[in-house]
Amino acid sequence: MIVSDVPAPPAPEEERAQHRALDRTIRVAGVVISLLATILTAALELFLTQLRLGGVPVGVSILLAAVANPAIAWFAVTTTERAWALGPPWALWTVLMLAAAGIRTDEGDYLIGASDWVALVTILVGSLAFAFYAYRMILSRRPARYDLGGGRR
């Protein structure tokens, strides 16, 4: 009889439970990281709306919103493998932008004024970037095929 120090492989149920726990951890981490990235990019976009070169507003925040928001959406959906993961970053970004546009400072000024066209276009483009990603995701879905027995293939 040969005795070895190699441990026995885990039972299939244990392995599946470990796999499910790891999947859940990755999904939760994906959502949390996408929300943190949303906060970071929204704050950066708000700060960059005031950027001017020679007194002329520069639309860097518009470009950042157009690039970063679909990237955050892609990350959230890819890491979670769920379409709903697009919703939390989109909702958080929208709430942050609308709060910045609607909150008055102690002096009575708005953080984003009605005359700040760069900030207003950033809000529009950023939200449309999330919407465009969602639209593309919906279009890329293929209809499910069914066999004659009624089950999915």
Side-chain angles (χ1 to χ4, degrees):
M1 181 159 137
I2 300 175
V3 178
S4 72
D5 292 337
V6 178
E13 284 115 29
E14 276 182 42
E15 194 171 307
R16 274 185 254 143
Q18 289 173 351
H19 185 65
R20 280 193 303 266
L22 180 62
D23 280 350
R24 182 170 288 130
T25 303
I26 290 172
R27 287 187 177 130
V28 169
V31 171
V32 169
I33 291 170
S34 69
L35 291 174
L36 291 174
T38 300
I39 293 169
L40 177 70
T41 59
L44 187 59
E45 290 163 14
L46 286 172
F47 287 128
L48 289 176
T49 59
Q50 301 301 318
L51 184 65
R52 301 188 185 296
L53 292 176
V56 177
V58 180
V60 174
S61 63
I62 299 168
L63 182 62
L64 180 61
V67 173
N69 291 358
I72 291 170
W74 171 85
F75 178 80
V77 171
T78 303
T79 56
T80 62
E81 297 178 344
R82 301 288 189 260
W84 63 261
L86 170 65
W90 188 357
L92 178 62
W93 187 89
T94 303
V95 166
L96 291 173
M97 289 297 159
L98 293 179
I103 293 178
R104 288 181 182 251
T105 63
D106 292 337
E107 293 81 24
D109 300 328
Y110 286 105
L111 186 58
I112 296 175
S115 62
D116 188 1
W117 68 268
V118 174
L120 297 176
V121 172
T122 299
I123 293 172
L124 175 68
V125 168
S127 189
L128 286 176
F130 276 116
F132 181 72
Y133 186 86
Y135 179 70
R136 292 288 309 254
M137 192 171 56
I138 291 167
L139 287 181
S140 69
R141 296 236 170 135
R142 296 187 182 128
R145 289 198 243 156
Y146 294 93
D147 64 3
L148 296 176
R152 288 182 119 177
R153 282 197 223 175

